[in-house]
Amino acid sequence: MQFFNKIIKRENVITAEKLDGNTFSIIMAIPIYDDKGIFKGVFGVVLKKDVFQNLISYLKINDANSYSYLIDENGLALSHPNKDFILRENILNTNHPINLENPNNGYKVLSEDSGFIEYEYMGIDTYAYFSKIDNKNNWRLVTRVPKEYISKQILNRTHYIFFTALMLIIFISIVSYYVVFNISQRIITLNYEIKEKQEKLKQTLELEKHKSEFLANVSHEFKTPVNIIFSSCQLMENTIKNDEIDKEKMMRYLKMIKQNSYRLMRLINNLLDITKLDLGFYELNLVNVNAVELIEDIVMSVADYANSKNREVIFDTNVEEKFMALDADKVERIILNLMSNSIKFTDEGDKIYVNFEDKEDYIEVKVKDTGIGIPEDKLNVIFDKFRQAQTLFRREHEGSGIGLYLVKQLVELHGGEISVSSTLGEGTEFVVKFPVRIIESNNENFSYSISNKIEKINIEFSDIYD
């Protein structure tokens, strides 16, 4: 009787009934009137439970963990992917998944026109979006979606399918729900944009911090040798003025001046090279060379210097010849820098191993020492620009901290790669890989030797003091 009373009152009717006493059906009816407002009849649709359930099952986002279901004004399930839940499961049940973390979630769904709630379902962070679809019956359509799926922002395509299917079922406008849903999505998108901008701001501030540390470090690196040079000059001047010329003292002062001049040259060269790299002006001068001979000559040129510091240098190779295209000067720079670090961070009696291995498509040069090692939390930053393993006010050894950054850039210019492994207190190993390639060259008879090796070693090792 209530059904017909609503029709007579010119109301649209959507209700759930058991027409034959057993079969649950959805009844939708619309009264029909002529242009004078006279009642002419009723347009009605009866959907059996299975048909209705099939229609609702299409209302889901394309995700294995997503589905939709319909509840009446009392929270009772009128549809559900699990047919056993229909007319049995109630959203107000305290054991319902959405109520376990927040007992008020079920009441929120039934009391508000639309919105969403968050909960955990089978270990998955989940959103449940709900919207009232009928002002008369107060039914609500609930769609559960994994939170991770929404975070990927791929809901745009599914909106249209969702709302179109809903319109076909209930014959009413859901524009309000569509607007609410889009606003929610805009809020989610805006949150992600804010987080992205915050992350960029954090990275910018971090970079500025490293730049400041780098500038302080470079200032220290300039100031220290300049002060030493200036002090040495003053001592020499006083010695000469007092006619107390001591050849041994004068040579010691000259040695200090020369070493710190080398140190300034090294720092200036590194800064110039960084500028060239940043501007893209750094180029390789590739020549086909015997890589074994080249690297062995570089390593052995350091042996005497290392011996003078009571370190032993050991070179080993698994081949005698390996012709390939390299920039000999840049390779020399790489090897000298790595060996400089090994000498700097080892103690008397320690050993430095340099191994050459032919891997056919590439060569592998390993520089390993038995020194103090590098802390594990610093291994991922030692190749970074403006970074070094020891800070300005705590480091035990001199250096600008940009040498390894340049080494990495020079290796990558060759198309290679560099990696490092270390155990604190036991030593460090750098592994450099160069791809093997041959180029057309006018220097077929090229034979590499370090003509000014002493000068280069003095420059590269200038921040190692006795």
Side-chain angles (χ1 to χ4, degrees):
M1 181 63 68
Q2 184 179 9
F3 176 86
F4 292 103
N5 287 338
K6 288 185 177 182
I7 293 294
I8 293 172
K9 292 179 181 179
R10 302 190 178 190
E11 295 180 4
N12 297 339
V13 178
I14 303 176
T15 186
E17 302 287 347
K18 289 185 178 180
L19 296 182
D20 58 3
N22 294 312
T23 305
F24 175 74
S25 301
I26 300 297
I27 303 174
M28 294 174 282
I30 301 174
I32 301 174
Y33 301 87
D34 61 14
D35 54 359
K36 295 181 181 179
I38 299 175
F39 177 75
K40 291 296 183 180
V42 177
F43 177 78
V45 176
V46 178
L47 296 177
K48 290 186 177 180
K49 180 182 71 172
D50 291 342
V51 176
F52 180 74
Q53 176 63 30
N54 289 337
L55 288 172
I56 291 294
S57 67
Y58 286 107
L59 299 181
K60 67 177 183 177
I61 293 172
N62 187 23
D63 183 86
N65 295 309
S66 169
Y67 58 82
S68 298
Y69 57 95
L70 195 65
I71 60 174
D72 65 12
E73 63 272 13
N74 297 313
L76 186 65
L78 301 180
S79 73
H80 199 280
N82 187 336
K83 294 183 179 181
D84 294 337
F85 289 172
I86 298 175
L87 297 183
R88 291 186 178 89
E89 185 179 61
N90 194 303
I91 201 168
L92 294 180
N93 189 329
T94 56
N95 293 322
H96 195 286
I98 73 170
N99 294 319
L100 293 179
E101 295 182 5
N102 185 350
N104 295 321
N105 276 347
Y107 292 99
K108 178 178 180 180
V109 173
L110 294 179
S111 63
E112 299 181 9
D113 289 346
S114 62
F116 67 91
I117 55 177
E118 297 181 57
Y119 62 99
E120 183 176 302
Y121 179 68
M122 297 181 69
I124 300 174
D125 291 334
T126 303
Y127 281 141
Y129 289 87
F130 62 88
S131 178
K132 183 164 65 174
I133 63 174
D134 181 3
N135 290 326
K136 299 299 182 182
N137 293 291
N138 288 324
W139 291 357
R140 283 163 175 79
L141 184 69
V142 182
T143 300
R144 70 168 300 275
V145 187
K147 195 172 182 180
E148 179 183 3
Y149 182 84
I150 294 178
S151 70
K152 295 177 181 177
Q153 301 185 24
I154 55 176
L155 297 177
N156 291 335
R157 183 175 61 86
T158 59
H159 286 170
Y160 180 77
I161 298 174
F162 180 88
F163 291 109
T164 301
L166 188 59
M167 287 286 288
L168 293 175
I169 297 173
I170 60 178
F171 297 107
I172 61 174
S173 172
I174 56 169
V175 174
S176 60
Y177 180 75
Y178 179 81
V179 171
V180 170
F181 198 89
N182 273 275
I183 290 175
S184 299
Q185 186 185 7
R186 284 179 174 273
I187 292 173
I188 293 172
T189 303
L190 183 60
N191 284 335
Y192 278 108
E193 290 177 352
I194 291 173
K195 288 181 180 179
E196 184 179 355
K197 292 184 184 299
Q198 287 176 338
E199 184 62 27
K200 288 182 178 179
L201 178 60
K202 180 181 177 181
Q203 292 174 357
T204 301
L205 293 175
E206 189 73 13
L207 181 61
E208 288 301 318
K209 176 185 175 183
H210 296 323
K211 283 184 178 179
S212 298
E213 291 177 355
F214 172 75
L215 290 174
N217 192 8
V218 169
S219 298
H220 170 79
E221 286 301 303
F222 271 114
K223 185 177 180 180
T224 301
V226 168
N227 284 339
I228 294 174
I229 292 172
F230 184 70
S231 299
S232 299
C233 289
Q234 283 184 317
L235 290 171
M236 290 179 68
E237 184 180 15
N238 290 335
T239 301
I240 294 172
K241 283 182 177 179
N242 297 328
D243 293 326
E244 298 175 354
I245 297 177
D246 184 327
K247 186 177 180 180
E248 184 177 342
K249 283 185 178 181
M250 298 294 281
M251 290 302 297
R252 186 168 67 250
Y253 298 150
L254 286 172
K255 181 181 178 181
M256 293 172 63
I257 291 172
K258 192 171 185 178
Q259 180 175 8
N260 284 277
S261 296
Y262 283 141
R263 186 173 169 188
L264 288 174
M265 288 175 62
R266 180 173 185 262
L267 180 58
I268 293 169
N269 288 339
N270 285 344
L271 292 175
L272 289 175
D273 287 341
I274 283 182
T275 303
K276 290 179 183 178
L277 284 166
D278 289 344
L279 296 176
F281 293 154
Y282 215 91
E283 296 181 355
L284 296 180
N285 180 26
L286 295 176
V287 179
N288 296 325
V289 298
N290 181 356
V292 181
E293 180 183 357
L294 168 64
I295 293 173
E296 184 176 10
D297 284 347
I298 297 170
V299 172
M300 300 317 296
S301 71
V302 182
D304 290 339
Y305 181 90
N307 289 335
S308 70
K309 301 293 182 181
N310 293 318
R311 275 78 161 169
E312 183 181 359
V313 175
I314 301 171
F315 178 81
D316 191 22
T317 176
N318 66 342
V319 292
E320 295 302 321
E321 290 185 344
K322 185 67 175 182
F323 286 93
M324 58 188 291
L326 293 170
D327 185 323
D329 288 333
K330 305 301 185 296
V331 172
E332 179 188 32
R333 187 89 172 272
I334 293 167
I335 301 301
L336 288 181
N337 188 283
L338 295 179
M339 295 191 71
S340 169
N341 280 335
S342 294
I343 294 174
K344 188 187 305 182
F345 296 105
T346 52
D347 297 321
E348 292 187 5
D350 282 333
K351 296 181 179 181
I352 301 169
Y353 301 90
V354 182
N355 293 327
F356 182 105
E357 293 187 31
D358 181 9
K359 302 289 188 178
E360 294 188 2
D361 293 335
Y362 66 92
I363 63 169
E364 197 171 72
V365 181
K366 299 179 181 179
V367 179
K368 182 179 181 181
D369 63 56
T370 56
I372 62 175
I374 302 172
E376 185 177 354
D377 62 337
K378 300 298 182 182
L379 290 175
N380 61 336
V381 301
I382 60 174
F383 294 113
D384 291 350
K385 193 175 182 180
F386 308 131
R387 301 294 295 272
Q388 62 182 133
Q390 294 177 313
T391 63
L392 175 64
F393 300 107
R394 293 186 302 170
R395 69 179 190 273
E396 300 171 1
H397 301 275
E398 299 294 340
S400 62
I402 58 179
L404 287 176
Y405 169 77
L406 286 173
V407 165
K408 184 173 185 292
Q409 298 304 309
L410 294 178
V411 171
E412 291 180 350
L413 279 176
H414 280 85
E417 57 185 55
I418 183 171
S419 60
V420 62
S421 59
S422 184
T423 301
L424 201 61
E426 296 183 10
T428 302
E429 181 180 51
F430 287 91
V431 179
V432 181
K433 296 179 181 179
F434 291 108
V436 175
R437 53 177 170 167
I438 300 294
I439 63 170
E440 293 184 4
S441 173
N442 296 324
N443 298 300
E444 298 296 336
N445 297 320
F446 177 84
S447 178
Y448 182 78
S449 63
I450 308 177
S451 58
N452 56 343
K453 60 182 179 180
I454 301 300
E455 190 80 2
K456 291 181 179 180
I457 291 173
N458 285 334
I459 292 175
E460 195 62 44
F461 295 0
S462 60
D463 53 5
I464 301 176
Y465 288 90
D466 292 328

